Amino acid sequence: LSVGTPGARFPSRAPPAGMPAGKAGVEALAAKFEVPVGTLLASEAIELTRGELGDADIECLPVLLQTGPRLLDLGYNLLTDAVAAMLAAAVRENAAMRVLRLNNNHFTSAGAITLAAVLQAGGPPLEVLNLDANEIDDAGAVALAEAAAVHGSLRELNLGENAISDAGALGLASALKANSTITDLGLHDNKVGDVGAKAIAEALGLNTTLTTLTLDSNQYTDKAADAFVAALKGNSALRSLGLSHGVTGNHLSKEARDRLVSAWASTGREESDLFCSY
């Protein structure tokens, strides 16, 4: 069930006054998105996106998730850390959930830490967590990294368009050394410099499961690119790598790009899966 209307990166209008909790809240959500209540409750994929939903509008979430949907998408709304604990509890109690999308909201590291605690405690068997385009900094990234290091089913972690710098990237690099399930890590449009990017590159020497890494539009230089050149020689799992626009407002040098392209091609990878401009 996918409902919502097109919108910008963050909805700009003020959130509504709020919907009731419990079953009445589910009925209000169904009316807002013009879907039958029964359909909303029975769906395995609940997608309430681009609806300008504020914290008060999802107080009915525990009821909505009682039927055990596999996917919950609350992207492009107005949600904040105030509902992180409720979201975490709802996720923890829903053993069927595999995909949680909270991108393009207003969660900070406090909310990320709350969600990470649920994952670190061992459940549920979540496979996809999307927190792109929020307000998460290094503390949240480190908490999620620590959870990912021990979580047994997470495959995709999206943290692009946040405020993560080297400290957060170092935490995620450590997680990659220990984790054997993550195949897709998104860190584009953050503040990762050479230290963090090089740590992630070096982690690829021990990681055999990551296939997609996006680090586009961060703050690293040619030094990080050369670290990936070295890493590619000992890693055969990575199949897609994004390193475009390493320094804000600039690009990797042509020489660094050429070295990357050469290393990428020499290991039998498709050049179309390497994204690095100069």
Side-chain angles (χ1 to χ4, degrees):
L1 173 66
S2 179
V3 289
T5 56
R9 181 177 182 271
F10 292 111
S12 59
R13 294 199 294 270
M19 298 181 186
K23 186 177 180 180
V26 175
E27 292 172 349
L29 275 178
K32 176 179 178 62
F33 288 102
E34 299 180 346
V35 295
V37 174
T39 301
L40 187 59
L41 287 171
S43 177
E44 288 192 355
I46 297 176
E47 300 180 71
L48 301 173
T49 66
R50 304 180 190 271
E52 297 187 343
L53 298 177
D55 296 339
D57 296 316
I58 63 166
E59 291 183 3
C60 64
L61 197 62
V63 174
L64 186 59
L65 298 183
Q66 282 180 352
T67 55
R70 293 176 60 85
L71 179 151
L72 176 62
D73 189 345
L74 291 169
Y76 294 93
N77 281 299
L78 298 162
L79 305 177
T80 74
D81 296 335
V83 295
M86 182 182 67
L87 277 168
V91 169
R92 182 178 62 246
E93 294 165 10
N94 182 3
M97 188 171 292
R98 298 293 183 272
V99 179
L100 177 61
R101 295 176 182 150
L102 300 173
N103 54 291
N104 298 80
N105 277 283
H106 297 287
F107 292 104
T108 71
S109 284
I113 290 169
T114 299
L115 291 169
V118 173
L119 298 180
Q120 194 160 14
L126 200 67
E127 297 176 0
V128 177
L129 177 59
N130 189 338
L131 285 165
D132 278 349
N134 277 282
E135 299 160 21
I136 298 167
D137 61 18
D138 291 331
V142 169
L144 289 166
E146 292 173 349
V150 298
H151 194 267
S153 61
L154 193 65
R155 294 186 295 102
E156 182 178 323
L157 178 60
N158 298 307
L159 293 171
E161 296 184 67
N162 278 286
I164 298 167
S165 63
D166 283 338
L170 287 169
L172 289 163
S174 294
L176 288 177
K177 294 177 182 179
N179 180 277
S180 60
T181 62
I182 292 180
T183 60
D184 191 326
L185 176 61
L187 274 174
H188 62 89
D189 294 278
N190 275 288
K191 301 177 180 179
V192 179
D194 284 333
V195 171
K198 289 171 67 176
I200 290 175
E202 291 166 2
L204 296 179
L206 296 175
N207 183 284
T208 60
T209 54
L210 190 71
T211 59
T212 301
L213 174 64
T214 54
L215 271 169
D216 310 85
S217 299
N218 275 277
Q219 296 178 0
Y220 46 78
T221 68
D222 287 1
K223 294 178 181 179
D226 286 336
F228 279 98
V229 169
L232 290 173
K233 298 175 182 178
N235 177 287
S236 60
L238 193 69
R239 309 311 298 178
S240 179
L241 175 62
L243 292 174
S244 294
H245 305 286
V247 181
T248 302
N250 294 292
H251 304 271
L252 296 176
S253 70
K254 181 180 184 303
E255 293 76 16
R257 182 189 184 280
D258 288 345
R259 291 192 293 271
L260 269 170
V261 170
S262 177
W264 190 261
S266 69
T267 54
R269 296 171 168 94
E270 295 291 333
E271 185 173 348
S272 59
D273 293 326
L274 174 64
F275 307 92
C276 58
S277 56
Y278 61 85

